[in-house]
Amino acid sequence: MLKLISSSCIHRLNPAAVPVLRPASDSASPLLRVLNSLGGLSRSNRYLGGRLFFCSESESGDGPDHVVDAEAKAAEETPSKAASSAIVSTYPRPEDYLTVLALPLQHRPLFPGFYMPIFVKDPKLLAALQESRDRQAPYAGAFLLKDEPDSDPNVVSSSDTEKSVYDLKGKELFNRLHEVGTLAQISSIHGDQVILIGHRRLRITEMVSEDPLTVKVDHLKDKAYNKDDDIIKATSFEVISTLRDVLKTSSLWRDHVATYSKHIGDFTYPRLADFGAAISGANKLQCQQVLEELDVYKRLKLTLELVKKEMEISKIQETIAKAIEEKISGEQRRYLLNEQLKAIKKELGLETDDKTALTGKFRERIEPKREKCPPHVLQVIDEELTKLQLLEASSSEFSVTRNYLDWLTALPWGEYSDENFHVTRAQKILDEDHYGLTDVKERILEFIAVGKLRGTSQGKIICLSGPPGVGKTSIGRSIARALNRKFFRFSVGGLADVAEIKGHRRTYIGAMPGKMVQCLKNVGTANPLVLIDEIDKLGKGHAGDPASALLELLDPEQNANFLDHYLDVPIDLSKVLFVCTANVVEMIPNPLLDRMEVVTIAGYIADEKMHIARDYLEKTTREACGIKPEQVEVTDAALLALIENYCRESGVRNLQKHIEKIYRKIALQLVRQVETNDDAIEPKKAEEFFDEMGTTTIQKGNPVLIESGNSEHTNENAKLDEMETNPPADQSLRVDNKSTDMEVTKEEEDKETESKTVEKVLIDKSNLDDFVGKPVFHAERIYDQTPAGVVMGLAWTAMGGSTLYIETKFVEEGDGKGALHITGQLGDVMKESAQLAHTIARDILREKEPENTFFANTKIHLHVPAGATPKDGPSAGCTMTTSMLSLALKKPVKKDLAMTGEVTLTGKILPIGGVKEKTIAARRSEVKTIIFPSANKRDFDELAPNVKEGLEVHFVDDYMQIFDLAFGDEKSHNAEK
Ligand SMILES: Nc1ncnc2c1ncn2[C@@H]1O[C@H](COP(=O)(O)OP(=O)(O)OP(=O)(O)O)[C@@H](O)[C@H]1O
């Protein structure tokens, strides 16, 4: 560590040899004042090593005019001192030392005016130094050691290499020394520590002795310079201002620079350069360069570079310090404020500790359920509560545990709603909500009855299947109502993620329990009715199979211990009643289907739809639109037209939409009418008028209600006439005037007063278009009388039953050209059916008309409209055969005939599915005669009488029977009417 201690020249005087000591005072040389001001060197330090120092500026290099003889000056000041100056000193002056001991410096060169403590490990050298000090010749040469030739000057040498430096002796050491060094005064020696004070620059000329290394030196003087030179001045000013800047930013050199700035005026240019270089953090070679430079301007420039660099470093240091300080203080501040806030809240009693409050909340929640809660769940809850207390509130683990406890404590452990197994009540509820569906309701009542006998309704899963809009979901809701269970519905249509059912593991960010746990939390009881909608449309998962997860959920054997991934404790779902809905039962995965009791809802015929529309849909829609029953009348004809021309599908959802559309339009018309009337009669007048009538009120935004008037009013008829002459602007409104008739008897009048006279909107078949637009449904029936080669078949789709035509046409004729061309988006099974039909038809034709070679020589084309709809299945086999035979015989089939049935190669008729749907579809298309396979007779017999009504149905088991029926053979078969 370097420390500024001195001026340019410090002379030593042995107090013993000099009779008069000159005390150091403020009037001494300015450079001595600098020395005095140094904190490290107090007054006693001026007697470093017990010797008195005084200045001689002869070595300052500032030129002859700056040379002040301190001794002469001192002699002028006091007579006694002047007397002492008469004694000529016999001690050599520093410049007289031309042969000196060479001291190697490892880390930095010694600059004149600075002192440096070094450690001398070599006992011989130490003894020599001691001896020269004793000989009153306390000077030696301090020279920087050169780095080893292959070493990197930027790398700090290790202690091992330091040791080896002490081992350097003689010539080897001589070669490793820089030529230029400093004449150093040996200020003191304590053990192996020697304090050197730099005096003047030296250059080694030759080696004198090897151990200890003694060298001959030349004393170097700075090159002469002009102290008024502008460039030198400017450079030195720049050095000074940079040093000032460093002072502002860097605290490291503050001591030095503060000392310096106090005495800045006292410094010479070369001294300034030395000072800058000595205090900078530059490396030893850069410092050595400054030391070797004798040209003052160049030396100042070198120093300027070093201090500028120092400036940059201190700026970087400052930004680093600032950034770190900001970070630390920001965090500390937030922490302190948070702690203060907590303390304040606690003091005010606003909030107890977060954790305590949370734990309290959870404990409060679980306490009432403790009795009913399974012990394994209680154990987990208690463990998690303890864990919560130990966790740091800001940690992520804390929020995971908190959410987990939130779910765990919110579930209805052991909470059940009282089940109601009252069959009559259940029947009432089911009838209240749904028209018809007798077989479905019967099945549900059976289920409830079994539940009553067993005391629980567990065991079976009901699956309601049928086309859309037949009321599957709403039946599910009714069952829940009938059983007094909470209702929860979730759709699994397109569900591909098992986690939706079984939950995510808690380790995932944003993990959630599965649908079942959410359901239980939602309904608040452990025995709800859960409706799993669209089970046939379950997606295919890429990670796990949702069907298998559902299996675990639905299976009564497994679901008593259902394990949700998130909850991680088994939950008992055995008390949950599951009802599923599906459009196509065949699409339900078999293991799932196996566990279900399928209840089919086939769809509704027009008559059923009429009832549903009249008694259920109309009622609910009217209420939803805020219209009173007396304000609207939809005639039966209108409703039938709506069902037959607009809503012919199996379900009633579309019908419901149309009814809603009609009622919305009625609502608009009524509101418009009120507003028009308001405008026609000035409000005041109208009020007067109605006041006079005494019974009428006008409610803005509500339909106009005109109550029957008081007959005592003489001018009421006239006023009513006036009203009638201003009919409502809207022409589509039909006003029923019957009830405004004033010619009533007194009793009738009284009655009328109660039943309000209402302007009624009448919807009839004729004005139905105004409400629902033109019919969008094109009749399924495209032929009034089917031509030869065309036969009506019956098909089943997910949307219900429908009729379809099989058309066959002649293409070309020629010997052996008999072939079949098929179109109409037919699937493989249906294509095979066509091939089969071709063979059977050919066979039958050969039998019926042996000479007819139609099939052998004719290419025919079979088409099934509509071409855009894909079709498949074997049930059109008999229809295709009939169609081909009709073409071959050039004979149309019986009028209004439809048929369905799979045909085998030998002409046997196999059963088909969807008898009810197909029957309903046939009725829709005004079919009179249906041919079904004999095996389906049972299905048909089970149908409600109103479905079967008016149909001539034939059951066949051989194709020849169909042939006879279709082509007019009036032989009696097992026909049923
Ligand atoms: N027999 C009925 N009596 C009264 N209303 C019925 C009847 N059938 C259906 N509805 C009504 O029809 C509407 C549609 O029924 P729902 O939504 O239950 O059909 P869905 O069979 O579940 O259809 P999807 O298969 O598209 O889910 C409901 O408003 C329901 O009340």
Side-chain angles (χ1 to χ4, degrees):
M1 180 74 187
L2 292 174
K3 202 144 191 190
L4 172 68
I5 61 152
S6 164
S7 63
S8 59
C9 51
I10 300 169
H11 211 289
R12 75 130 183 98
L13 190 66
N14 190 342
V18 181
V20 180
L21 283 179
R22 197 180 96 183
S25 76
D26 281 344
S27 60
S29 144
L31 287 170
L32 194 60
R33 282 209 307 274
V34 173
L35 181 69
N36 291 341
S37 69
L38 289 170
L41 292 170
S42 61
R43 175 173 278 265
S44 63
N45 286 8
R46 273 177 262 134
Y47 303 88
L48 277 171
R51 287 146 213 263
L52 178 69
F53 284 81
F54 62 93
C55 293
S56 160
E57 297 217 323
S58 58
E59 296 154 87
S60 70
D62 263 0
D65 51 332
H66 282 265
V67 176
V68 179
D69 189 338
E71 281 183 67
K73 208 176 169 191
E76 280 166 25
E77 281 168 12
T78 49
S80 59
K81 281 175 198 169
S84 68
S85 67
I87 304 162
V88 179
S89 169
T90 54
Y91 296 101
R93 294 176 306 164
E95 55 266 40
D96 299 335
Y97 289 89
L98 296 174
T99 304
V100 288
L101 283 166
L103 297 175
L105 303 178
Q106 275 187 65
H107 307 297
R108 291 175 75 89
L110 175 64
F111 279 94
F114 283 77
Y115 81 90
M116 179 192 276
I118 60 162
F119 291 93
V120 179
K121 303 279 177 193
D122 180 2
K124 252 190 187 168
L125 180 60
L126 195 63
L129 287 172
Q130 188 64 55
E131 190 201 323
S132 63
R133 203 163 161 264
D134 294 345
R135 280 193 287 114
Q136 313 296 337
Y139 286 96
F143 301 91
L144 186 68
L145 262 179
K146 287 180 199 161
D147 287 319
E148 279 183 80
D150 52 345
S151 71
D152 183 351
N154 294 322
V155 178
V156 180
S157 57
S158 70
S159 55
D160 287 348
T161 51
E162 270 175 35
K163 261 181 209 160
S164 67
V165 165
Y166 298 128
D167 297 340
L168 288 174
K169 291 264 157 45
K171 193 129 187 119
E172 204 184 349
L173 178 62
F174 180 75
N175 290 336
R176 288 280 302 278
L177 293 179
H178 278 276
E179 244 178 38
V180 177
T182 320
L183 180 72
Q185 183 187 346
I186 304 155
S187 167
S188 67
I189 300 174
H190 297 290
D192 58 354
Q193 192 195 50
V194 180
I195 294 183
L196 305 174
I197 299 170
H199 271 261
R200 41 171 52 210
R201 286 168 164 78
L202 300 175
R203 176 175 282 126
I204 300 174
T205 50
E206 61 179 283
M207 188 170 82
V208 179
S209 68
E210 286 202 6
D211 200 15
L213 181 66
T214 315
V215 289
K216 271 199 173 160
V217 291
D218 278 349
H219 289 242
L220 301 176
K221 276 203 169 178
D222 295 333
K223 284 185 188 161
Y225 67 96
N226 179 4
K227 70 181 171 65
D228 294 325
D229 183 278
D230 288 344
I231 294 181
I232 293 182
K233 253 188 198 168
T235 316
S236 69
F237 289 159
E238 187 55 28
V239 173
I240 290 167
S241 81
T242 313
L243 283 171
R244 277 212 181 109
D245 288 346
V246 178
L247 167 73
K248 270 186 227 153
T249 52
S250 166
S251 56
L252 211 59
W253 302 112
R254 200 160 284 166
D255 284 350
H256 294 306
V257 184
T259 311
Y260 157 77
S261 52
K262 259 193 209 165
H263 305 285
I264 188 74
D266 307 334
F267 273 21
T268 58
Y269 297 138
R271 191 64 58 212
L272 179 68
D274 285 349
F275 176 82
I279 67 162
S280 77
N283 70 29
K284 57 185 184 182
L285 289 180
Q286 287 168 321
C287 291
Q288 178 65 25
Q289 236 180 322
V290 176
L291 188 74
E292 287 176 10
E293 189 54 67
L294 298 179
D295 183 303
V296 174
Y297 167 62
K298 282 185 186 162
R299 193 190 297 168
L300 273 171
K301 251 177 76 178
L302 282 172
T303 302
L304 185 60
E305 265 174 43
L306 299 184
V307 290
K308 283 274 180 206
K309 208 167 163 189
E310 195 66 25
M311 177 70 204
E312 290 308 312
I313 290 169
S314 70
K315 271 186 192 162
I316 295 169
Q317 176 204 343
E318 196 185 25
T319 27
I320 293 171
K322 214 171 175 181
I324 289 179
E325 206 170 292
E326 263 171 24
K327 195 176 162 218
I328 292 170
S329 67
E331 276 169 13
Q332 271 178 350
R333 217 171 99 90
R334 189 170 300 120
Y335 175 78
L336 272 173
L337 287 174
N338 264 331
E339 287 302 304
Q340 277 174 3
L341 191 71
K342 267 190 210 165
I344 292 168
K345 277 186 176 176
K346 220 170 180 178
E347 194 65 28
L348 292 176
L350 292 180
E351 203 179 79
T352 48
D353 183 15
D354 270 2
K355 277 193 222 167
T356 326
L358 258 182
T359 322
K361 185 178 116 188
F362 292 138
R363 282 196 198 285
E364 214 171 278
R365 235 195 240 171
I366 199 68
E367 219 44 56
K369 302 178 196 165
R370 207 166 259 281
E371 294 282 285
K372 297 176 193 165
C373 192
H376 65 274
V377 178
L378 279 180
Q379 191 188 343
V380 174
I381 292 176
D382 288 338
E383 279 169 12
E384 290 295 316
L385 281 172
T386 323
K387 187 171 149 197
L388 195 73
Q389 279 299 330
L390 300 176
L391 287 170
E392 182 53 49
S394 56
S395 69
S396 59
E397 180 74 6
F398 181 85
S399 59
V400 170
T401 313
R402 187 190 51 202
N403 288 345
Y404 179 54
L405 272 167
D406 201 15
W407 277 102
L408 216 53
T409 50
L411 290 186
W413 301 107
E415 298 277 338
Y416 300 101
S417 60
D418 292 334
E419 224 172 338
N420 192 320
F421 291 118
H422 208 287
V423 176
T424 329
R425 178 180 168 271
Q427 170 125 40
K428 205 170 143 249
I429 289 173
L430 291 174
D431 285 342
E432 247 171 47
D433 295 346
H434 295 90
Y435 171 81
L437 301 172
T438 334
D439 42 351
V440 180
K441 287 177 186 168
E442 200 63 23
R443 179 67 201 86
I444 293 161
L445 293 176
E446 283 165 23
F447 177 82
I448 296 174
V450 171
K452 185 168 187 165
L453 295 180
R454 279 185 59 199
T456 166
S457 56
Q458 263 57 59
K460 281 283 176 195
I461 302 151
I462 300 176
C463 175
L464 299 167
S465 92
V470 291
K472 300 181 295 294
T473 313
S474 62
I475 283 243
R477 196 172 271 119
S478 289
I479 302 173
R481 199 155 78 91
L483 287 173
N484 191 31
R485 283 174 180 245
K486 288 274 169 56
F487 179 77
F488 184 84
R489 169 184 172 268
F490 77 91
S491 176
V492 292
L495 186 139
D497 191 358
V498 178
E500 286 280 326
I501 298 166
K502 293 211 59 169
H504 303 96
R505 297 204 183 280
R506 252 177 305 152
T507 39
Y508 297 116
I509 293 171
M512 285 272 288
K515 270 277 184 300
M516 254 342 278
V517 176
Q518 291 180 32
C519 154
L520 293 184
K521 185 181 174 188
N522 213 308
V523 297
T525 58
N527 65 336
L529 183 143
V530 176
L531 186 96
I532 304 177
D533 234 348
E534 321 285 3
I535 199 160
D536 53 335
K537 297 176 194 70
L538 204 61
K540 288 267 167 294
H542 26 265
D545 181 15
S548 316
L550 263 189
L551 204 63
E552 189 191 338
L553 183 71
L554 296 178
D555 191 353
E557 304 294 320
Q558 300 179 48
N559 68 11
N561 285 310
F562 178 76
L563 195 68
D564 183 277
H565 287 154
Y566 181 86
L567 228 50
D568 219 14
V569 287
I571 13 173
D572 181 10
L573 295 182
S574 62
K575 302 284 181 304
V576 177
L577 179 62
F578 291 100
V579 176
C580 309
T581 76
N583 291 131
V584 189
V585 179
E586 288 72 30
M587 301 282 283
I588 302 174
N590 271 337
L592 273 178
L593 189 61
D594 203 42
R595 286 166 173 81
M596 293 174 185
E597 170 109 10
V598 179
V599 179
T600 312
I601 307 176
Y604 302 109
I605 57 169
D607 184 44
E608 286 173 321
K609 284 190 190 172
M610 277 288 280
H611 279 100
I612 295 171
R614 190 56 90 210
D615 302 337
Y616 297 86
L617 306 180
E618 238 198 305
K619 220 167 101 189
T620 48
T621 316
R622 202 167 43 221
E623 278 166 18
C625 293
I627 298 171
K628 296 202 162 56
E630 54 271 25
Q631 290 175 304
V632 63
E633 187 187 330
V634 182
T635 63
D636 283 350
L639 216 50
L640 195 66
L642 190 71
I643 292 165
E644 288 190 336
N645 302 334
Y646 295 82
C647 318
R648 300 187 65 167
E649 66 292 310
S650 313
V652 290
R653 189 176 284 123
N654 195 26
L655 182 61
Q656 188 179 18
K657 275 190 212 158
H658 276 81
I659 292 175
E660 279 166 8
K661 199 168 174 184
I662 292 171
Y663 273 83
R664 276 200 308 273
K665 281 206 166 28
I666 294 172
L668 178 66
Q669 284 187 3
L670 287 171
V671 172
R672 275 206 183 128
Q673 188 199 352
V674 173
E675 286 177 3
T676 321
N677 284 353
D678 277 359
D679 291 344
I681 309 165
E682 275 178 45
K684 195 160 178 256
K685 262 193 182 171
E687 249 170 63
E688 279 169 15
F689 164 73
F690 288 123
D691 280 348
E692 279 167 28
M693 299 266 297
T695 49
T696 308
T697 52
I698 294 183
Q699 293 170 327
K700 266 225 160 123
N702 278 336
V704 179
L705 304 177
I706 306 174
E707 295 177 23
S708 58
N710 186 339
S711 57
E712 282 171 20
H713 290 284
T714 48
N715 55 352
E716 64 188 4
N717 279 341
K719 282 181 179 172
L720 281 170
D721 284 348
E722 193 186 308
M723 287 276 288
E724 275 173 25
T725 51
N726 289 323
D730 202 320
Q731 289 306 310
S732 60
L733 282 178
R734 301 186 176 194
V735 180
D736 190 349
N737 287 327
K738 265 188 272 169
S739 46
T740 59
D741 193 354
M742 290 286 125
E743 293 171 7
V744 281
T745 60
K746 186 84 183 95
E747 294 103 56
E748 279 169 346
E749 222 176 78
D750 291 340
K751 257 192 210 169
E752 287 266 288
T753 316
E754 266 162 36
S755 71
K756 295 160 187 165
T757 308
V758 178
E759 291 192 29
K760 215 176 228 178
V761 179
L762 186 78
I763 292 152
D764 201 2
K765 199 175 170 183
S766 55
N767 69 339
L768 190 65
D769 291 9
D770 299 343
F771 291 87
V772 286
K774 293 267 172 261
V776 283
F777 200 91
H778 299 294
E780 283 175 13
R781 198 179 164 119
I782 49 179
Y783 298 101
D784 201 26
Q785 163 67 59
T786 49
V790 179
V791 180
M792 186 193 271
L794 295 170
W796 179 91
T797 68
M799 300 289 287
S802 95
T803 53
L804 89 172
Y805 287 97
I806 308 282
E807 301 173 333
T808 320
K809 240 344 200 183
F810 164 89
V811 180
E812 59 175 332
E813 203 176 16
D815 258 2
K817 281 206 167 171
L820 177 66
H821 180 57
I822 309 162
T823 55
Q825 282 249 39
L826 308 186
D828 287 346
V829 179
M830 215 163 167
K831 276 183 192 157
E832 281 181 6
S833 276
Q835 297 293 347
L836 224 82
H838 194 229
T839 311
I840 297 164
R842 198 168 169 169
D843 194 38
I844 291 171
L845 192 67
R846 202 181 305 122
E847 190 188 309
K848 294 277 176 193
E849 295 181 6
E851 68 292 347
N852 195 337
T853 54
F854 180 82
F855 286 111
N857 300 332
T858 316
K859 182 177 180 184
I860 57 170
H861 182 171
L862 183 138
H863 177 69
V864 188
T869 317
K871 305 152 200 95
D872 207 359
S875 69
C878 66
T879 324
M880 286 174 171
T881 315
T882 314
S883 160
M884 287 176 198
L885 281 170
S886 166
L887 185 73
L889 295 169
K890 296 189 178 67
K891 203 172 172 189
V893 294
K894 193 179 161 188
K895 197 170 184 287
D896 299 331
L897 171 79
M899 61 185 73
T900 175
E902 181 179 346
V903 65
T904 68
L905 199 56
T906 55
K908 294 283 166 226
I909 305 297
L910 300 182
I912 44 86
V915 169
K916 186 175 179 188
E917 288 88 344
K918 285 178 175 175
T919 311
I920 293 168
R923 281 179 69 101
R924 266 206 310 262
S925 296
E926 290 160 21
V927 168
K928 302 271 179 328
T929 315
I930 306 177
I931 302 174
F932 277 130
S934 294
N936 286 111
K937 190 167 185 301
R938 222 184 102 245
D939 301 327
F940 186 80
D941 288 346
E942 278 175 7
L943 297 183
N946 60 350
V947 179
K948 297 191 274 191
E949 203 182 321
L951 285 174
E952 180 189 329
V953 183
H954 298 271
F955 297 95
V956 295
D957 44 26
D958 190 276
Y959 183 75
M960 287 316 290
Q961 292 169 284
I962 298 180
F963 186 85
D964 293 344
L965 285 165
F967 297 109
D969 200 340
E970 291 300 324
K971 270 188 234 160
S972 72
H973 293 280
N974 51 343
E976 272 194 24
K977 294 211 172 168

